[in-house]
Amino acid sequence: MELPGLGQRCAERTCRRLDFLPLKCDACEEVFCKDHVRYDDHKCSSAYKKNVQVPVCPLCNAPIPVQKGEIPDVVVGAHMDKDCKYNPAQQKQRIFTNKCLKPGCKRKEMMKVVCEQCGGNFCIKHRHPLDHDCKGSSRPTSKA
């Protein structure tokens, strides 16, 4: 039994399927079935209004405005040559710069770990006075 008041037919000429959950194209405002609602599937003549992509610079991740008729690759290339804020030196900055002062240890830490007794900078493993043979204080230290 068909329910004539429910659903709508797909606007695609080759389909015309009766769909009970039709979808409206947001560009051309016509109704389509799930198989033809995409711009490319129904060859939407108004897709240029909605299907807009803004290229992004691969170096600085900034969106690059492209005027109608311009080639995005050329515009992004011109941005990279002139206006790009990318700094290659910034990428090579080292995070782990605090070298351990314990002889023989080559570890580096992100933050300074300073011994309260001798004032030296050490890694996490050698941060305690007994672990780096601290000579800063004359009083004995205990592991507790």
Side-chain angles (χ1 to χ4, degrees):
M1 178 166 136
E2 195 171 320
L3 302 171
L6 295 177
Q8 289 181 307
R9 295 211 174 264
C10 178
E12 177 63 32
R13 290 181 293 128
T14 59
C15 179
R16 305 296 295 159
R17 179 188 306 165
L18 179 62
D19 196 335
F20 294 106
L21 294 172
L23 302 165
K24 186 185 278 190
C25 175
D26 63 346
C28 66
E29 302 289 323
E30 292 192 50
V31 176
F32 296 97
C33 66
K34 68 176 177 69
D35 296 330
H36 296 107
V37 74
R38 290 182 40 225
Y39 301 134
D40 295 338
D41 292 339
H42 68 269
K43 297 172 186 66
C44 187
S45 59
S46 302
Y48 69 91
K49 297 176 187 175
K50 299 284 183 171
N51 196 11
V52 178
Q53 295 179 351
V54 177
V56 176
C57 176
L59 300 176
C60 68
N61 290 325
I64 311 300
V66 178
Q67 302 300 321
K68 191 172 183 176
E70 291 181 322
I71 301 170
D73 290 340
V74 173
V75 176
V76 171
H79 163 80
M80 289 167 63
D81 291 340
K82 297 176 187 171
D83 304 328
C84 191
K85 304 280 190 265
Y86 174 71
N87 183 2
Q90 187 179 22
Q91 295 288 25
K92 294 184 180 181
Q93 289 178 345
R94 294 201 170 109
I95 295 173
F96 299 96
T97 57
N98 299 301
K99 188 175 182 320
C100 180
L101 295 177
K102 166 114 173 137
C105 183
K106 296 186 185 314
R107 294 206 47 178
K108 295 179 181 177
E109 297 294 333
M110 189 182 312
M111 295 173 40
K112 284 189 173 192
V113 182
V114 180
C115 175
E116 292 179 1
Q117 295 180 6
C118 66
N121 185 40
F122 298 96
C123 66
I124 298 293
K125 185 178 177 184
H126 300 119
R127 70 183 183 270
H128 297 296
L130 290 175
D131 293 331
H132 64 263
D133 300 326
C134 186
K135 309 222 184 332
S137 176
S138 60
R139 60 188 158 116
T141 56
S142 66
K143 282 215 183 234

